[in-house]
Amino acid sequence: MNSIRVPKFDYIIIGAGPAGMAAAITARAHGLSVLVLDEQPSAGGQIFRNIESLEATRNSEFSKLGQEYEFGSSLVRRFKKCGADYFTDRSVWQIDNNLQIHHVSASASKSNSVISHCQAKRLLIAVGAMERPMPLPGWTIPGVMPCTAVDVLYKSSGLIPDGEVVLAGSGPLLLLIGCRLLDVGVHVSAFLDTSMNGALLKALPLLPNALRSHKYLTRGLSLLWKIRKAGIPFYSGIQNIEALGSSKLEKVRIGKSGKFFDVTADLLLLHNGVVPNVQITRNLGCEHRWYDVQRYWEPIVDDWGNTSVDHVSIAGDCGRVAGAAISEVSGHLAALETVYQLGVISKVERDNLSQPHRIELARQKHVRPFLDKLFQPSKTWLVPENDKTLACRCEEVKVSEIRETVRMGIKDPDSLKSMTRCGMGYCQARMCGLTVSEIIAEEKKVSPEEIGYFRVRSPIRPITLGQLAEID
Amino acid sequence: MIKENAEVVVVGGGVIGVSLAYGMVKKGAKVILIDKVDNRLTASRGNFGLVWFQGKGKGMPRYVEWCIEAIERWPEFAENLETETGFDLNYEKTGGLEICLGEEEHQERVNFIEEMSHASRSGRYDCEMISRKELQGMLPKIKLGKEVSGASFCSHDGCVNPLILLKAMNISFQQKGGGYRPEQSVQKIECNSNDFKIETGTHSFKAEKLVIACGLMTPKLAGMVGMKVPVIPERGQILVTERTSRVFNYPTAGIRQNYDGSFMLGSSHEAVGYNIETSYEVLQNIAKRAIRILPSLKNLQLIRSWAALRVLTPDQKPVYLESDQYPGAHAITSHSGVSLASIHSSILVEWILEERIPPGFTAFHPKRFNVQEAI
Amino acid sequence: MFKKQYESHETVSIIFEGKNLDVEIGQTVASALLVGGNMVFRSSVVSGQPRGPYCMMGVCFECLIEIDGIPNQRACMIPVREAMKIKRQQKTKSE
């Protein structure tokens, strides 16, 4: 590769959500050359998806979304003005050891869209989080979706569900989205609460801290009250959920205390928490650790977001999931660290400049432990009891097959992959990786920390052979 | 320490170790198979799945004959495994191709085939050159690139799903009473007058015979029992595409379409030590060559890639050795563990269990390397 | 099943399974098809099960569909364009 032709930047940021945008703003304020690559057509990440357009053309809806969105809108404006090079519709498919980055159009339907390359001195991964997969029997039937999918459809496309909607799972996001659906007149025919019994009790020790920012707590409680007040059938202590239908979802079978009953449904919206998207950090070889309270892998970082790989840091929810406000702060901090590492400011200057961000972090951060504990994912929904449930959607590998393979003597995920094809499909284990770690851990009676995760290889997302070969 | 006894302990759960262990339990021996902890460097989970003959054995006619015999045994070997386990190995013996681009490659291949035919003792080299036109005739569903000048075709060749092969042999081994002990790392080998004691962190195994077939770790373990077996790692990178309808029905060394419709493309030969990372340039070169051969591949999406380490002796031909110092201890290393699985699980097993030495076996002794060094 | 919450503005005409569909500019292929009540985008490559969009954010690869003759495109990531031809994809069988 002719390195003269490859554009070089001080700082390349992958992801234009709150963390990525904040990092770009701060880095630019100190004069770094910055490139931001994002898959979406506009800035905002998942939470502020399509926010510019919402504010401009659907303003009545925008104002209902709350104060957080005004902050988001302002952040996007500052980002657009900061002078960073910003490429939308770009998907990174390979990052070399020397931080040369190869990317391609995220949306081009013509397979000969061209590959582009760029070179970073320092790299920020700010790709955010994703829904934790919630495998259950029938979860691959069209009409079963994670709850954030309707959020995306609403924000990006102005769509709302039409027909009977069942919500199932646990977590603040499910409550929030449930309320939004009620606000726009969607018919929610049941709310299936899968949160662990006694969850509130367990979380109580952390309550004093959380109350310092009580608005989160009271908002959550008000959401719950709203749902119940709307008269929506609310079931807690659910042990089984099965999606049924021939070519699309027709009903949901619910099991509680040994009794089963069916609810008609056109859409089943699932949620079992939000987990960091570690595909790129795994691909880069960053070290990860298992965060047991919320049952996910997170990259190991220091206070500045530096990973175990030189010159690579993370910010936002692709590390410990903490929401938009903290993501933004972590973006500023990561950028300050980069500015320091590139010799533009001294360590003392970095530390001084970081003070307001650290204070903000402290102010926001205490509520998270409470929420994490309150909404701990329960075992039932991490390791499907029903063996015929598909653990790997892409390759249709059942939970039973994974268990059998572990009992045959296979313990590490990559060997399991060889034996079952689990993780070999298009999504490259994004949807099954956590489930596999959990199943093996349960079989071997150890923590998933000991089991580890699949090796994530290039391409980070599929590209055509023609694109790889760089031919027309 | 868990103590276990057996007639034979096989160290190495890759395709060679498992095929030996499998063959031995079929003969009624009590066998324990030890597999290591770290499965990242295993060649058996990273290979192309060719059951191959053409191109092998240059400079060692005995090996050429060995390969032919292995390949002739393969159909029955596959059928037995399928009957025993119910797994479909996706073994296809269609004949195999080496496709040439341009005149120079073509001429090189012509010369090579001629040389090998002349060297063949049995006269059964069974590999012939075919023209571009004939080749296109064999591939009615896909167009050849402009530069394709022809190919060599060998009717012996075929392909299999190597992962299912590994799984099937392992399961059949266990079903027939073999003891599979994964997550074991051999730390010590004690050589006694009647047996060997093999210690891992948690287990202590005793056996009359010891078979060391653990890929890149073979030299280390073989050294513990008085054998010198040189191997070096060689990296190969492979691309796998999405599934598509079956259009390419013959395997080649660089392109094959799997049973499920995905294309596997390879490969590279890199001396990079124990590095199993993939590299942009190599993956790109593999893609480029594949597109030159079959241009319509350019629209297929690449889903995943990997790199694995081949286990190569200095002349890339097998080493089959019994320790002089400690008879009963054997070391086996070879490229082509998949192609040779049929003969490893039969003839080699007879050598190990019954001391039936195949004719011309000394060809596989590593002293041949010293001879080369001396020269 | 989804519906538009507000009035559509500019539209383009796309062709889904041979039938014309007027969809709003700015929609992705996935959202455009969902509005039309189409939940099934393909049959799975392993067993032929019906599959449709799931995560809507590009990580799950369930919404793969054929666009302008090229299969396996993520519908949730691709904006609609005038005269786009969209087809469901069937499981590819090995022969």
Side-chain angles (χ1 to χ4, degrees):
Chain A
M1 178 124 4
N2 185 351
S3 60
I4 298 168
R5 284 169 43 222
V6 176
K8 294 183 178 56
F9 293 87
D10 292 327
Y11 200 29
I12 295 184
I13 298 170
I14 303 177
M21 290 191 285
I25 290 165
T26 292
R28 281 295 306 145
H30 293 271
L32 297 190
S33 62
V34 177
L35 170 64
V36 178
L37 298 170
D38 190 85
E39 289 192 318
Q40 296 300 328
S42 60
Q46 296 308 325
I47 184 171
F48 300 132
R49 199 156 167 143
N50 204 28
I51 197 171
E52 291 168 290
S53 175
L54 274 171
E55 194 179 19
T57 65
R58 287 157 60 191
N59 197 268
S60 58
E61 293 166 61
F62 173 79
S63 41
K64 279 195 219 143
L65 289 170
Q67 194 182 47
E68 207 177 23
Y69 285 79
E70 275 181 43
F71 291 147
S73 199
S74 138
L75 182 63
V76 170
R77 274 193 294 275
R78 281 182 286 140
F79 166 63
K80 297 297 268 294
K81 285 196 311 217
C82 76
D85 281 39
Y86 166 46
F87 295 170
T88 58
D89 183 42
R90 301 311 290 177
S91 223
V92 172
W93 67 269
Q94 159 111 4
I95 301 172
D96 298 338
N97 287 340
N98 65 353
L99 300 191
Q100 184 153 128
I101 294 164
H102 310 278
H103 53 100
V104 70
S105 165
S107 72
S109 70
K110 290 289 175 214
S111 64
N112 59 358
S113 84
V114 160
I115 276 188
S116 297
H117 323 277
C118 50
Q119 177 71 54
K121 284 189 191 154
R122 285 191 51 100
L123 176 61
L124 179 69
I125 311 297
V127 296
M130 50 181 239
E131 292 245 16
R132 179 200 318 278
M134 189 168 160
L136 46 85
W139 72 309
T140 52
I141 297 175
V144 181
M145 295 173 129
C147 71
T148 46
V150 302
D151 203 43
V152 170
L153 284 167
Y154 176 69
K155 286 173 180 164
S156 290
S157 311
L159 301 190
I160 57 173
D162 187 19
E164 304 286 323
V165 177
V166 171
L167 299 167
S170 82
L173 210 45
L174 187 65
L175 293 172
L176 185 64
I177 287 175
C179 284
R180 286 224 193 99
L181 290 177
L182 289 176
D183 282 345
V184 293
V186 170
H187 190 247
V188 178
S189 53
F191 192 107
L192 311 177
D193 176 17
T194 62
S195 55
M196 296 218 285
N197 294 330
L200 192 55
L201 273 167
K202 280 192 195 167
L204 278 176
L206 299 160
L207 191 55
N209 273 340
L211 286 177
R212 288 216 315 261
S213 178
H214 61 276
K215 62 176 176 169
Y216 284 98
L217 192 57
T218 50
R219 182 165 76 162
L221 290 174
S222 83
L223 296 178
L224 207 51
W225 177 81
K226 198 169 182 174
I227 285 170
R228 297 182 104 134
K229 186 170 182 256
I232 291 166
F234 186 97
Y235 306 96
S236 55
I238 300 293
Q239 281 125 15
N240 307 92
I241 299 176
E242 181 171 0
L244 295 162
S246 50
S247 63
K248 53 185 186 163
L249 182 68
E250 285 155 27
K251 56 189 176 191
V252 178
R253 181 157 293 160
I254 300 157
K256 181 187 153 91
S257 315
K259 293 203 172 71
F260 290 83
F261 57 98
D262 292 352
V263 170
T264 308
D266 297 301
L267 201 59
L268 171 61
L269 298 178
L270 305 175
H271 187 68
N272 197 20
V274 166
V275 300
N277 183 342
V278 296
Q279 201 73 2
I280 296 184
T281 46
R282 283 279 183 192
N283 176 263
L284 288 170
C286 301
E287 278 172 36
H288 291 69
R289 78 163 145 243
W290 179 253
Y291 175 44
D292 202 55
V293 172
Q294 274 290 308
R295 310 291 291 187
Y296 59 63
W297 296 97
E298 57 183 11
I300 296 176
V301 293
D302 64 14
D303 285 340
W304 302 96
N306 291 312
T307 68
S308 59
V309 173
D310 283 342
H311 313 301
V312 175
S313 60
I314 62 152
D317 284 353
C318 65
R320 178 71 59 91
V321 176
I326 296 182
S327 293
E328 193 181 325
V329 171
S330 70
H332 288 303
L333 289 171
L336 283 174
E337 167 70 357
T338 286
V339 172
Y340 154 64
Q341 289 286 347
L342 290 177
V344 173
I345 57 176
S346 70
K347 200 169 194 174
V348 170
E349 283 173 298
R350 173 200 72 173
D351 292 347
N352 288 338
L353 288 165
S354 75
Q355 275 315 303
H357 300 300
R358 295 266 174 225
I359 291 169
E360 183 60 27
L361 209 59
R363 214 173 62 76
Q364 302 269 4
K365 218 164 186 181
H366 50 266
V367 76
R368 204 70 215 184
F370 180 77
L371 289 177
D372 281 0
K373 199 89 183 148
L374 178 64
F375 293 108
Q376 269 183 290
S378 73
K379 209 45 176 327
T380 324
W381 306 101
L382 296 170
V383 181
E385 266 171 32
N386 186 330
D387 259 5
K388 71 178 192 207
T389 307
L390 293 182
C392 171
R393 297 172 62 109
C394 297
E395 295 291 323
E396 297 186 43
V397 183
K398 296 195 185 92
V399 171
S400 56
E401 210 184 319
I402 296 178
R403 286 200 209 277
E404 276 160 28
T405 306
V406 177
R407 287 170 197 170
M408 197 184 110
I410 304 295
K411 178 182 162 184
D412 79 282
D414 283 316
S415 302
L416 184 101
K417 181 174 171 178
S418 305
M419 292 289 157
T420 60
R421 293 195 59 86
C422 186
M424 285 188 180
Y426 280 100
C427 90
Q428 288 293 288
R430 286 166 174 88
M431 304 308 288
C432 67
L434 276 171
T435 308
V436 166
S437 296
E438 293 275 11
I439 295 174
I440 302 177
E442 190 194 64
E443 286 288 317
K444 304 299 279 187
K445 302 193 187 356
V446 297
S447 157
E449 176 90 58
E450 257 191 67
I451 298 301
Y453 194 80
F454 296 112
R455 188 184 183 111
V456 175
R457 292 274 197 185
S458 184
I460 292 163
R461 52 140 281 166
I463 58 164
T464 65
L465 291 174
Q467 286 169 320
L468 173 57
E470 291 191 87
I471 57 169
D472 293 320
Chain B
M1 247 313 169
I2 304 170
K3 294 203 167 99
E4 285 194 71
N5 295 342
E7 282 174 60
V8 189
V9 162
V10 177
V11 182
V15 71
I16 294 185
V18 177
S19 55
L20 292 167
Y22 164 69
M24 287 193 257
V25 295
K26 279 184 86 159
K27 287 240 164 201
K30 185 168 175 219
V31 182
I32 286 175
L33 175 64
I34 296 176
D35 206 354
K36 66 172 178 236
V37 178
D38 185 351
N39 281 308
R40 284 177 305 132
L41 295 180
T42 170
S44 297
R45 294 198 177 95
N47 80 77
F48 214 61
L50 297 178
V51 184
W52 209 248
F53 166 67
Q54 73 169 288
K56 292 209 183 133
K58 182 170 177 185
M60 195 197 272
R62 181 62 186 94
Y63 181 49
V64 177
E65 309 308 322
W66 186 248
C67 290
I68 292 183
E69 208 182 335
I71 244 183
E72 282 174 349
R73 287 170 177 253
W74 238 92
E76 195 185 324
F77 164 73
E79 210 184 300
N80 288 340
L81 259 181
E82 289 178 347
T83 311
E84 288 158 18
T85 61
F87 289 130
D88 186 352
L89 299 184
N90 301 148
Y91 173 51
E92 294 175 345
K93 186 169 178 169
T94 52
L97 296 163
E98 288 268 14
I99 298 179
C100 307
L101 290 171
E103 278 317 305
E104 204 180 309
E105 266 183 37
H106 190 253
Q107 193 53 53
E108 268 173 34
R109 197 71 191 161
V110 166
N111 296 341
F112 176 79
I113 300 294
E114 250 180 63
E115 211 182 306
M116 295 298 288
S117 298
H118 287 144
S120 167
R121 282 182 192 155
S122 62
R124 275 163 42 203
Y125 195 67
D126 291 339
C127 195
E128 47 171 9
M129 292 303 294
I130 59 174
S131 68
R132 180 198 158 88
K133 192 168 168 204
E134 282 172 291
L135 179 61
Q136 184 66 83
M138 286 163 70
L139 301 167
K141 293 185 186 159
I142 188 165
K143 237 179 112 177
L144 294 171
K146 295 184 302 216
E147 300 170 78
V148 173
S149 45
S152 61
F153 176 76
C154 175
S155 53
H156 293 298
D157 294 337
C159 57
V160 73
N161 183 321
L163 300 175
I164 298 181
L165 171 67
L166 192 62
K167 183 174 175 177
M169 289 194 295
N170 193 322
I171 285 181
S172 193
F173 165 75
Q174 293 189 57
Q175 279 172 2
K176 291 181 191 320
Y180 178 58
R181 304 288 174 261
E183 301 167 51
Q184 302 291 318
S185 231
V186 172
Q187 280 159 17
K188 191 168 148 206
I189 303 179
E190 203 180 280
C191 307
N192 306 317
S193 44
N194 290 327
D195 57 30
F196 297 93
K197 192 163 100 174
I198 299 107
E199 281 178 18
T200 66
T202 50
H203 286 64
S204 170
F205 303 100
K206 251 200 196 149
E208 292 149 37
K209 292 186 198 257
L210 171 64
V211 175
I212 296 164
C214 44
L216 291 171
M217 294 293 289
T218 303
K220 180 176 174 204
L221 279 135
M224 292 181 187
V225 284
M227 291 186 279
K228 197 163 165 225
V229 180
V231 299
I232 38 173
E234 185 194 72
R235 184 170 75 185
Q237 299 185 36
I238 296 194
L239 303 175
V240 183
T241 72
E242 59 192 350
R243 292 171 172 91
T244 185
S245 47
R246 283 296 293 268
V247 293
F248 191 66
N249 292 321
Y250 297 91
T252 77
I255 306 176
R256 61 170 283 203
Q257 189 171 19
N258 295 319
Y259 192 76
D260 68 10
S262 53
F263 271 86
M264 279 217 295
L265 309 173
S267 72
S268 60
H269 301 267
E270 308 163 76
V272 290
Y274 288 80
N275 186 320
I276 53 167
E277 289 177 12
T278 51
S279 69
Y280 182 86
E281 299 92 272
V282 168
L283 296 183
Q284 188 177 58
N285 287 336
I286 293 172
K288 280 181 172 162
R289 186 177 170 92
I291 291 170
R292 284 165 76 198
I293 294 174
L294 301 172
S296 61
L297 289 184
K298 72 177 161 77
N299 293 321
L300 277 186
Q301 287 184 98
L302 171 67
I303 304 295
R304 60 199 179 96
S305 66
W306 73 77
L309 300 174
R310 296 181 188 85
V311 181
L312 298 182
T313 59
D315 62 359
Q316 308 200 3
K317 294 159 186 98
V319 163
Y320 304 130
L321 183 63
E322 182 170 5
S323 177
D324 287 328
Q325 209 181 347
Y326 304 107
H330 305 75
I332 286 130
T333 181
S334 178
H335 183 245
S336 310
V338 170
S339 305
L340 297 174
S342 54
I343 206 171
H344 283 170
S345 57
S346 53
I347 296 188
L348 264 200
V349 159
E350 288 167 13
W351 165 58
I352 295 168
L353 289 181
E354 298 155 27
E355 272 131 68
R356 274 210 268 162
I357 300 174
F361 207 53
T362 51
F364 300 118
H365 198 285
K367 67 175 183 259
R368 69 186 190 263
F369 304 128
N370 303 333
V371 172
Q372 286 177 359
E373 277 167 32
I375 292 171
Chain C
M1 329 185 79
F2 287 84
K3 62 186 179 195
K4 276 308 291 271
Q5 206 207 6
Y6 58 91
E7 274 312 299
S8 297
H9 301 297
E10 282 179 70
T11 61
V12 288
S13 192
I14 64 174
I15 303 151
F16 176 57
E17 295 280 304
K19 294 208 186 85
N20 280 327
L21 216 58
D22 280 327
V23 297
E24 192 190 25
I25 274 185
Q27 297 283 341
T28 60
V29 171
S31 60
L33 294 184
L34 286 172
V35 166
N38 301 292
M39 301 288 290
V40 179
F41 282 24
R42 64 185 176 98
S43 58
S44 78
V45 288
V46 180
S47 72
Q49 288 176 352
R51 294 288 182 101
Y54 182 77
C55 76
M56 298 306 299
M57 54 181 273
V59 294
C60 73
F61 292 82
E62 288 285 355
C63 61
L64 301 178
I65 207 161
E66 183 187 299
I67 299 175
D68 292 336
I70 296 165
N72 299 316
Q73 314 250 7
R74 279 182 298 177
C76 72
M77 301 291 291
I78 297 172
V80 293
R81 270 189 343 268
E82 182 68 36
M84 202 180 232
K85 286 196 191 62
I86 302 164
K87 271 180 73 177
R88 286 199 187 96
Q89 43 192 65
Q90 301 308 315
K91 163 184 156 137
T92 44
K93 266 186 144 121
S94 7
E95 283 142 82

